[in-house]
Amino acid sequence: MHPAFSVIFFTTASGAGYGMLATLGFYAGHDALPQNVWFSITSMVVALGLVTAGLLSSTFHLGHPERAWRAFSQWRTSWLSREGVAALLAYIPACAFGLAWVFPALEWPARILGPLMIPFALGTLFTTAMIYRSLKTIHAWHNKWVVPCYLVLGPMTGAVFVLALSAGFGVTLKFLAAFSGALLAAGLVVKWLYWTFIDSTSAASTPATATGLSGTGPAVDVKSVEWPHTEANYVMKEMGFAVARKHAQKLRGIAIWLGFMVPAILIESSVMLPLPQLSFLAIPAAVLMAVGIVVERWLFFAQARHVVTLFYGAKSA
Amino acid sequence: MTSLPDKTDKKLGLVIDLDTCVGCQACVTNCKEWNTGGHMAPLTDLNAYAAEADGVWFNRVHTYEVTGSSACGASTSRTMHFPRSCLHCEKPDCVTVCPTGASYKRTSDGIVLVNEDLCIGCKLCSWACPYGAREFDVFEGVMKKCTLCVDRIYNENLPEEDRVPACVATCPTGARHFGDLGDPNSAVSKLVAERGGVDLMPEMGYAPTNKYLPPRPRKDTATSVPAKELTPVAATGFLGWVDKLLSR
């Protein structure tokens, strides 16, 4: 599948934003959020900024962005529509929580609004994952690992971002470094399982089933000898993207090290070593992780093969 | 509304005969000609006369080499031309994934259409289609697809014999048939039953309305027609007298 920048940015940025909201909500519920006005304002601006920038970015690839509001209407059948509705609803507890946290006079509602925000944030992440999970045409997406990947990677990136901000403002969120490390490990595990799955399996469809010849005899081989067009058409450009596949293994290595391993090592070493000033290591960890996760998401699109390529000579999809 | 109808009154669709299709591209051309002025007009072309020409087409004809083995085990190979267009599925995910309600399946005849005024151009429907039937119009910013020539088949301004999709009207070999596949007594349904018509990618579960007739099986052996046996020539006249003399 063509890895459109707008969609990669949307899924990574909004994933991190909702992950931050879920992390902050969790700490608020345990009354463990420090009252530092600049930390709270910056955290909320970054979290809601990532969510909003991601949502806006996802409208950039539309043919008619001005009609985007119509996408809220078909939540009965469409996961994309459900995502729009969920994203809109999530603003309500998130904005209310932000106000309650920033203004200490309103401290007690933050303890209720924070946990309330978690299902909205995770629910929106779930709807994003389901957009991909529900597409039967793409084996790399229509499988059981896609939803766990989104539900772990969102909170993982969010927790590391909150950790980096807390380090920047010199405030402490108890156990957040350990919590981030655990999420980075969990993220690597689900992503590894996802990659193992897509490497070892492929779609049930073949060139023979695509052309209706699977029932006409044993081992019918269907070889594409002529395309309907001499130049790439929309279907080929959108669904037949193949540029990155030859670099997939190298890019996976980059994603594994930058997205998971290096941030985990930096964060955990800052905790293990008896130097409190090493907490700043969470900041480079967050930056490197962001790069790694963008590579990971790029691969999620670039490595996804659509069954329509079977008509164009692909042996499997 | 992108919810699918439980059932449709008719199931209008095409039956495509892969045994007869010669890959002449006439259906492709007539489809483009009609539809660039029809319901989903225009079918925009970009760089039409330059490198990297691109454009919206509803019908594409592939060519395959199909290799199998005959009943006696010998390898068989044949060229197969394969027209590919919207199959107007009974359970099309392209409709249900649409976030705006622009994509819909008609209850009256089962035709799958796009309301261009509602389409936001998110392209998700084209991702959901296994058959590559939907093509995005970059210029117009909306998704376009085969309408089964909805502006021909009910068009009372056309002579009755022309009230069929443009691709069907133009096919010089009669490889394309149009009719109600929901009616078991229709000509197309009978043809599908007789020739063993199939669904494309049935494993996807989209229940396509359009059916494809696979190429007829090749005959394994030719009928044996032995040449006449040689028979001795009975000589007459002078040669007969010589023959008789020498045979003594």
Side-chain angles (χ1 to χ4, degrees):
Chain A
M1 300 296 294
H2 173 67
F5 173 76
S6 58
V7 182
I8 292 169
F9 179 75
F10 160 61
T11 59
T12 51
S14 70
Y18 288 121
M20 286 182 73
L21 293 177
T23 307
L24 295 170
F26 180 79
Y27 276 86
H30 290 81
D31 204 13
L33 269 186
Q35 283 297 332
N36 176 316
V37 71
W38 291 112
F39 172 61
S40 54
I41 288 176
T42 313
S43 296
M44 289 313 293
V45 166
V46 171
L48 289 174
L50 282 169
V51 166
T52 310
L55 290 170
L56 285 177
S57 151
S58 73
T59 66
F60 291 161
H61 82 288
L62 297 180
H64 280 278
E66 79 284 2
R67 298 179 187 165
W69 60 272
R70 291 189 183 277
F72 297 118
S73 66
Q74 303 302 309
W75 46 268
R76 284 186 193 82
T77 64
S78 168
W79 281 104
L80 179 53
S81 187
R82 287 171 196 165
E83 183 201 40
V85 173
L88 208 61
L89 289 178
Y91 275 106
I92 299 168
C95 291
F97 165 79
L99 289 174
W101 183 29
V102 170
F103 297 104
L106 300 170
E107 190 192 345
W108 68 266
R111 291 170 60 182
I112 297 159
L113 288 166
L116 183 68
M117 194 163 63
I118 297 174
F120 282 89
L122 295 184
T124 311
L125 278 176
F126 176 72
T127 56
T128 306
M130 281 307 292
I131 294 173
Y132 303 104
R133 169 75 174 88
S134 66
L135 291 171
K136 296 178 197 136
T137 48
I138 301 160
H139 179 70
W141 295 351
H142 189 63
N143 64 65
K144 61 185 176 207
W145 295 111
V146 168
V147 170
C149 280
Y150 273 81
L151 285 181
V152 174
L153 263 58
M156 176 192 97
T157 47
V160 174
F161 278 11
V162 172
L163 183 69
L165 284 173
S166 70
F169 286 94
V171 296
T172 309
L173 277 80
K174 218 176 174 185
F175 301 127
L176 184 54
F179 186 47
S180 302
L183 282 170
L184 285 162
L188 184 56
V189 169
V190 287
K191 203 64 211 180
W192 189 269
L193 291 170
Y194 167 82
W195 279 326
T196 308
F197 177 83
I198 65 164
D199 285 349
S200 57
T201 55
S202 58
S205 302
T206 63
T209 67
T211 50
L213 298 184
S214 54
T216 56
V220 174
D221 181 47
V222 181
K223 190 167 82 179
S224 170
V225 291
E226 200 167 30
W227 284 9
H229 36 88
T230 54
E231 311 284 324
N233 69 341
Y234 164 74
V235 170
M236 293 310 299
K237 289 174 187 168
E238 185 78 6
M239 264 79 81
F241 185 85
V243 178
R245 288 181 195 149
K246 63 177 179 178
H247 300 306
Q249 287 307 323
K250 276 182 196 162
L251 288 166
R252 270 186 202 177
I254 293 171
I256 288 169
W257 282 99
L258 290 186
F260 304 94
M261 305 281 274
V262 175
I265 291 165
L266 287 175
I267 289 168
E268 296 319 309
S269 60
S270 74
V271 179
M272 306 285 185
L273 294 172
L275 290 170
Q277 49 273 51
L278 277 181
S279 65
F280 80 89
L281 281 177
I283 296 168
V287 173
L288 293 175
M289 180 195 67
V291 175
I293 293 305
V294 167
V295 173
E296 175 273 318
R297 207 54 51 89
W298 192 82
L299 280 170
F300 179 73
F301 287 91
Q303 284 208 293
R305 292 175 297 162
H306 195 287
V307 290
V308 76
T309 55
L310 296 171
F311 290 108
Y312 285 90
K315 291 289 165 199
S316 64
Chain B
M1 190 51 69
T2 52
S3 303
L4 294 172
D6 291 333
K7 67 183 281 294
T8 55
D9 300 340
K10 284 182 174 183
K11 294 180 189 174
L12 294 187
L14 301 173
V15 174
I16 295 171
D17 190 343
L18 298 176
D19 195 69
T20 321
C21 176
V22 294
C24 70
Q25 313 277 336
C27 55
V28 177
T29 314
N30 205 33
C31 167
K32 179 87 170 182
E33 196 280 331
W34 176 267
N35 283 295
T36 203
H39 181 78
M40 296 236 69
L43 303 196
T44 312
D45 284 322
L46 300 171
N47 302 321
Y49 305 103
E52 295 179 13
D54 192 0
V56 180
W57 300 70
F58 294 162
N59 187 20
R60 305 270 192 181
V61 179
H62 295 255
T63 303
Y64 298 102
E65 183 186 354
V66 181
T67 312
S69 55
S70 68
C72 66
S75 176
T76 61
S77 180
R78 69 200 302 167
T79 300
M80 183 180 80
H81 303 289
F82 181 87
R84 177 174 59 80
S85 59
C86 175
L87 307 176
H88 298 280
C89 302
E90 285 176 51
K91 293 172 191 161
D93 279 8
C94 62
V95 170
T96 53
V97 301
C98 175
T100 68
S103 279
Y104 60 104
K105 184 172 174 69
R106 305 212 302 186
T107 311
S108 58
D109 51 18
I111 298 178
V112 176
L113 290 174
V114 176
N115 180 342
E116 287 175 85
D117 294 331
L118 298 182
C119 178
I120 58 174
C122 71
K123 304 176 186 168
L124 190 58
C125 56
S126 67
W127 293 7
C129 175
Y131 310 106
R134 291 171 171 247
E135 298 202 4
F136 186 67
D137 187 330
V138 191
F139 188 76
E140 298 275 317
V142 296
M143 193 57 74
K144 300 202 168 172
K145 70 176 293 299
C146 162
T147 67
L148 206 62
C149 283
V150 75
D151 42 7
R152 280 179 72 100
I153 58 176
Y154 299 115
N155 191 337
E156 291 180 1
N157 296 316
L158 295 175
E160 200 167 345
E161 64 271 24
D162 283 340
R163 291 179 208 161
V164 293
C167 57
V168 175
T170 201
C171 179
T173 63
R176 303 182 72 100
H177 308 268
F178 165 70
D180 181 7
L181 287 144
D183 171 9
N185 295 315
S186 68
V188 282
S189 295
K190 285 178 181 166
L191 186 61
V192 169
E194 179 195 331
R195 290 279 305 282
V198 294
D199 289 347
L200 304 185
M201 290 197 235
E203 66 279 3
M204 282 284 153
Y206 285 42
T209 299
N210 285 12
K211 300 285 183 263
Y212 282 72
L213 308 179
R216 291 180 173 87
R218 297 227 311 206
K219 293 184 179 69
D220 294 324
T221 48
T223 314
S224 181
V225 185
K228 216 166 142 187
E229 297 220 2
L230 286 174
T231 48
V233 180
T236 53
F238 173 71
L239 287 176
W241 175 78
V242 173
D243 181 41
K244 219 183 271 179
L245 190 70
L246 292 176
S247 307
R248 215 180 273 171

